[in-house]
Amino acid sequence: MISLAQKKLILSLSRKKKRDELSLFVAEGEKVVSDLLRGGMVAKYIFSVPEKISIVENICPSANIVSVDEVELSKVSSLSTRSHIIAIFQRPADADVLASPPADIALFLDDVQDPGNLGTIIRTADWFGVHNIICSSTCADAYGPKTVQATMGALCRAKISYTSAEDYLSFAKNNWHIPIVGTLMDGNDLYSLDIPIPAIVIMGNEGHGISQQLQKFISHRVLIPNYPAGVVTSESLNVSAATAVLLSELRRRMS
């Protein structure tokens, strides 16, 4: 069963302050927990219903597994649907993003606020082999429950760092001299613009796009055109959808 101290720990990790303080986060669900374990993430505790314990043991025989029933799990779950497995993982340390320039595509997220969007972007980036993800200090927390769930396990392959947006982009522009790509409504058509790789790709806030302070660092201003040209459509793409389109096109050119 889950001890009182363990219950308090799980519930406390719903708060970013506590996640930062303890360098821990919670993941729920058989698929997410299994993928994180396979990806090398270190679990402090794994709480599982008896019939699912063998799944965890096959992946990580040395895991600290606590057998619990569904009622106990439901009391500490953040999901509306029942979880059969809940785990507390060690949060990886942020990489030193200024240590070396990106060798491929680096994704920079400027003030992405919605946890679901952030999680979907991490999952999308993983699909396209983009694992270097730098977040501005005002972005949603990549290790919050909703974000972790939306990544569907891709978090284990992502190298996520939080830093000052201006400090990072200023350093990159002045020292690395690689393309800094930004999606803007007054940009050039993505499908006709030459974008050398490696590059840093900036994706902006859901409502305001890339902030004015950061636009000065952009060397390649990109527009994802609607279709057909000149016809009124939705005002813009969701940031996670725009990320998918942009990364897909960049990867297509590299194939």
Side-chain angles (χ1 to χ4, degrees):
M1 63 180 293
I2 308 176
S3 70
L4 181 59
Q6 289 167 339
K7 288 179 181 177
K8 287 183 177 178
L9 177 60
I10 294 171
L11 294 173
S12 73
L13 292 174
S14 64
R15 303 193 302 273
K16 183 180 185 301
K17 181 179 179 181
K18 204 66 176 178
R19 293 193 296 271
D20 291 344
E21 177 187 326
L22 300 176
S23 292
L24 299 172
F25 70 95
V26 174
E28 298 193 42
E30 180 181 328
K31 174 175 172 40
V32 174
V33 172
S34 296
D35 284 354
L36 293 179
L37 289 171
R38 289 192 188 97
M41 288 260 185
V42 178
K44 183 179 178 69
Y45 299 111
I46 299 175
F47 307 95
S48 173
V49 296
E51 58 268 30
K52 298 293 184 180
I53 288 178
S54 62
I55 295 172
V56 178
E57 289 178 331
N58 288 337
I59 301 169
C60 187
S62 61
N64 183 6
I65 306 171
V66 180
S67 180
V68 297
D69 59 37
E70 287 190 7
V71 174
E72 281 188 284
L73 281 180
S74 67
K75 291 179 180 178
V76 293
S77 173
S78 64
L79 303 180
S80 56
T81 55
R82 286 189 174 183
S83 294
H84 293 126
I85 302 176
I86 294 177
I88 298 176
F89 283 95
Q90 296 282 351
R91 173 178 170 164
D94 282 10
D96 181 358
V97 294
L98 301 181
S100 60
D104 186 42
I105 299 170
L107 189 59
F108 188 92
L109 305 180
D110 173 29
D111 196 31
V112 173
Q113 289 291 296
D114 184 82
N117 280 338
L118 178 56
T120 302
I121 288 170
I122 293 169
R123 183 180 179 184
T124 300
D126 182 50
W127 180 261
F128 290 109
V130 176
H131 299 128
N132 189 7
I133 301 175
I134 305 103
C135 300
S136 70
S137 54
T138 55
C139 275
D141 183 13
Y143 299 96
K146 290 182 180 179
T147 307
V148 172
Q149 206 62 29
T151 69
M152 292 303 291
L155 198 58
C156 65
R157 288 174 292 276
K159 296 178 182 178
I160 298 172
S161 302
Y162 282 79
T163 189
S164 161
E166 289 204 54
D167 287 352
Y168 174 76
L169 293 173
S170 175
F171 184 92
K173 183 169 185 175
N174 294 325
N175 293 275
W176 296 336
H177 309 295
I178 63 174
I180 299 178
V181 181
T183 50
L184 299 163
M185 295 305 293
D186 64 349
N188 299 301
D189 189 322
L190 167 64
Y191 302 107
S192 62
L193 183 64
D194 181 37
I195 303 173
I197 303 297
I200 297 169
V201 174
I202 307 175
M203 303 305 297
N205 172 270
E206 292 89 341
H208 307 293
I210 298 171
S211 63
Q212 288 291 332
Q213 303 96 291
L214 301 189
Q215 289 186 26
K216 63 188 176 185
F217 299 113
I218 296 172
S219 61
H220 291 63
R221 301 170 71 91
V222 172
L223 169 69
I224 299 174
N226 64 334
Y227 183 85
V231 173
V232 176
T233 60
S234 299
E235 183 181 10
S236 63
L237 286 173
N238 172 277
V239 63
S240 58
T243 303
V245 172
L246 184 50
L247 294 184
S248 176
E249 173 61 13
L250 293 179
R251 283 300 188 223
R252 183 192 66 80
R253 298 178 187 188
M254 297 174 69
S255 62

